[in-house]
DNA sequence: AACTGCGGTTCCATTTTCTGGAACTTTCCG
DNA sequence: CGGAAAGTTCCAGAAAATGGAACCGCAGTT
């Protein structure tokens, strides 16, 4: 068990609302002796991976993580192109937009773009959601074959329902979330990929459930879909599914 | 020399436009034998700190960095409060806003908030600037004593000019940047701190130089200043310098 | 003031991991 | 296809990491 794995295990503690840790908490969560935890956190501090909050015992990720997250975002021309599309839609409609990607069975937001309407949506960056319970996740899963989805959700009770849901997403070319992950907030998502890097991302807009009617939703779907289609064409994404509003299935 | 330090050195390669690295590049930049570099990158890959781009030889930061950057942002109530202020100002004025912090002699943006006006400013997150050459940097440095600034810039040729500049910032309570780091773009920044964590951040708005006149600049300064003052009051920041428009010194 | 408990740090012998150079393998390009 | 460049594996020795115990620092209680 290398120290690098221990360090990564410490870093994995962050998330799901955990913003800082102490020596004792690390010791308990990783099952390491106190002495090892103390030395590990110290070494990580000195390497810049962690920093203490105001000289207290509380350790948070070091500020180098800001640079690293940005480098991740900039490493992908797919993300850059999709960001342009979502920014434009965010400005056009005034609602908040996201770029998200899959990591195992979860989605995580890569970038967000604040809207101007009255709805202040908590930033999704750093917040992981089950893929099958979010529009972005479903739009991304819909790009996979049923066999691939079955393998990913092997043994999971939600697999059967999910496969039916994904058939629907494929038919429509977009995924919809209705107050699913946030009360009062709906979302629409369209996924697109880059075959040269074998990655895919979801473009998403979220908006207040009660204030946005179907005509505006259609316009947003079209805006995301047209932009994503342009990206798919220029990157050669043969798995792209263009949104077809006439195929919309209402619940 | 521990493997953790080597890993951190690899992670430090990202930034200044570098979004991915190969084994050979790491070998050269860190002065390590190829064998060591290959094993190091592999161990970091397996730990999730790095990932390859589409199975190529190119390594970028792993997606865990997104979570870690978010945890950093959420670890500070100062950043959260300041973000509220900047979002409000961004919506009120339509210009892009930032939260930035100091790291040595550099500033780095923690969060950005896209405006709605026609100016599309490249995201500053992940882009480090010399603190003395940016409004956010100067507003943060102005909170330090001259002695502290001299120590930070010990031996640096720009120290003398900077100290004069900081006296000006202290007199005004805000810092201004006029087409300094980006052509055609001006910025104003106000710094505020949290004595309980001993950290400080700068609230900043950037806008097109040619399109924003002095009355609107004053209103933006007031918006940032009032918000920052509220934060300072509630966190007990005795080093806070409220903006005083009557003390403005024009170049 | 002394004591106790909790969180964290240091010491040290032992164990484990990491290292560099060389040989080998894979990939890419002309 | 061949050659060169990039990357990987092997192995003995060196270096780092480990766990348990002792120690330290701080805060609260008597």
């Amino acid at each position: 068990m290398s120290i690098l794995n221990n360090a990564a295990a410490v870093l994995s503690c962050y998330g799901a609302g955990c913003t800082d840790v102490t020596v004792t908490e690390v010791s308990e969560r990783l099952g390491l002796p106190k002495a090892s935890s103390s030395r590990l956190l110290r070494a990580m501090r000195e390497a810049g991976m962690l920093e203490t909050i105001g000289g207290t015992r509380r350790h948070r990720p070091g500020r180098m993580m800001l640079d690293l997250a940005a480098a991740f975002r900039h490493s992908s021309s797919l993300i850059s192109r999709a960001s342009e599309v979502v920014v434009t839609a965010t400005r056009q409609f005034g609602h908040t937009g996201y770029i998200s990607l899959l990591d195992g069975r979860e989605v995580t937001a890569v970038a967000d773009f604040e809207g101007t309407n009255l709805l202040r949506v908590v930033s999704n960056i750093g917040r992981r959601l089950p893929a099958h319970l979010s529009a972005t996740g479903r739009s991304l899963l819909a790009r996979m074959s049923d066999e691939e989805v079955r393998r990913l959700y092997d043994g999971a009770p939600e697999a059967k329902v999910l496969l039916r849901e994904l058939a629907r997403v494929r038919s429509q070319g977009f995924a919809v979330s209705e107050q699913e992950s946030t009360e009062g907030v709906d979302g629409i998502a369209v996924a697109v990929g880059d075959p040269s890097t074998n990655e895919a991302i979801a473009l998403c807009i979220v908006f207040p459930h009660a204030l946005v009617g179907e005509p505006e939703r259609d316009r947003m779907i079209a805006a995301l879909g047209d932009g994503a289609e342009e990206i798919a064409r220029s990157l050669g994404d043969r798995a792209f599914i263009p949104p077809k509003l006439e195929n919309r299935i209402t619940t």
Side-chain angles (χ1 to χ4, degrees), chain A:
Chain A
M1 176 56 75
S2 96
I3 190 173
L4 217 41
N5 289 334
N6 284 337
V10 170
L11 295 178
S12 297
C13 293
Y14 299 101
C18 171
T19 60
D20 54 75
V21 294
T22 61
V23 168
T24 302
E25 283 161 8
V26 166
S27 177
E28 284 163 1
R29 292 183 65 162
L30 272 57
L32 294 176
K34 276 200 308 181
S36 300
S37 301
S38 175
R39 281 195 306 264
L40 176 60
L41 293 198
R42 180 187 187 139
M44 292 176 74
R45 247 183 355 252
E46 288 169 357
M49 293 182 180
L50 298 179
E51 63 185 60
T52 54
I53 304 182
T56 67
R57 291 166 166 173
R58 310 213 64 85
H59 293 73
R60 66 185 172 188
R63 53 203 62 192
M64 73 192 298
M65 304 304 168
L66 298 169
D67 301 329
L68 293 168
F72 180 88
R73 276 193 287 271
H74 293 136
S75 70
S76 163
S77 73
L78 178 61
I79 293 173
S80 300
R81 289 165 187 246
S83 296
E84 298 293 338
V85 173
V86 176
V87 164
T88 301
T90 289
R91 289 180 169 181
Q92 181 181 348
F93 299 104
H95 305 302
T96 296
Y98 292 97
I99 304 288
S100 295
L101 52 76
L102 261 187
D103 191 8
R105 295 186 195 170
E106 294 181 312
V107 284
T108 186
V110 178
D112 65 356
F113 307 98
E114 190 74 33
T116 54
N117 63 30
L118 291 184
L119 177 70
R120 182 76 214 284
V121 180
V122 176
S123 173
N124 262 347
I125 301 194
R127 177 180 174 216
R128 287 169 174 259
L129 294 176
H132 72 285
L133 293 182
S134 66
T136 51
R138 288 194 293 274
S139 69
L140 289 161
L141 293 171
R143 292 173 52 89
M144 294 157 66
S145 66
D146 276 1
E147 186 51 44
E148 283 172 308
V149 175
R150 272 196 208 98
R151 214 177 306 137
L152 182 63
Y153 283 84
D154 190 24
E158 64 266 18
K160 184 159 266 186
V161 175
L162 177 60
L163 284 167
R164 275 203 301 269
E165 189 65 38
L166 295 185
R168 172 167 144 171
V169 173
R170 288 187 195 113
S171 167
Q172 295 180 150
F174 59 91
V176 172
S177 155
E178 305 204 339
Q179 312 200 55
E180 198 169 3
S181 53
T182 310
E183 187 71 41
V185 176
D186 290 357
I188 52 172
V190 179
V192 65
D194 181 353
S196 75
T197 61
N198 200 27
E199 62 187 342
I201 49 89
L203 298 75
C204 169
I205 297 193
V206 292
F207 46 87
H209 171 82
L211 299 183
V212 180
E214 187 150 322
E216 189 177 351
R217 295 175 188 225
D218 288 355
R219 286 196 295 274
M220 287 191 284
I221 291 167
L224 290 187
D226 290 348
E229 185 163 8
E230 181 62 41
I231 294 172
R233 189 179 303 123
S234 82
L235 295 180
D237 177 22
R238 287 202 205 74
F240 179 69
I241 310 163
K244 295 167 283 278
L245 289 168
E246 64 272 10
N247 286 7
R248 177 212 299 270
I249 298 161
T250 44
T251 53

